[in-house]
Amino acid sequence: AEFLLKFVPEWVAPNLITFIAFVIVIISHCVFMFYGEDQFGRELVPWKAVLMCLTVFVYQHLDNMDGKQARRTST
């Protein structure tokens, strides 16, 4: 998160980073909700599993970044 935080300007509020992470998770959940089974009746297709893994990975990094951004902008 330290490396990625170098690309975030100091004027960006930590809550905005949290909100972006929340929106990414909501989009991922909507994909699961509206694109349920495939044509063969399988519950989980591989691209949806990869999408969920990437979503969790991005969410964790953004969550880590917002705490660091809050400490960086509080001074």
Side-chain angles (χ1 to χ4, degrees):
E2 291 286 339
F3 175 74
L4 294 174
L5 199 59
K6 294 176 187 175
F7 300 105
V8 178
E10 285 197 31
W11 57 264
V12 173
N15 289 339
L16 179 62
I17 298 172
T18 303
F19 181 72
I20 291 169
F22 174 71
V23 168
I24 290 171
V25 170
I26 293 298
I27 290 170
S28 175
H29 279 76
C30 287
V31 167
F32 268 75
M33 195 167 50
F34 293 117
Y35 296 104
E37 299 176 347
D38 63 354
Q39 69 266 21
F40 302 111
R42 295 183 299 198
E43 288 289 324
L44 182 63
V45 290
W47 67 268
K48 288 197 303 187
V50 170
L51 176 69
M52 185 57 80
C53 291
L54 289 175
T55 302
V56 170
F57 183 76
V58 169
Y59 175 80
Q60 288 175 340
H61 277 76
L62 289 174
D63 189 43
N64 193 356
M65 284 174 56
D66 74 353
K68 292 183 185 304
Q69 179 75 351
R71 280 190 230 83
R72 185 169 87 163
T73 58
S74 67
T75 58

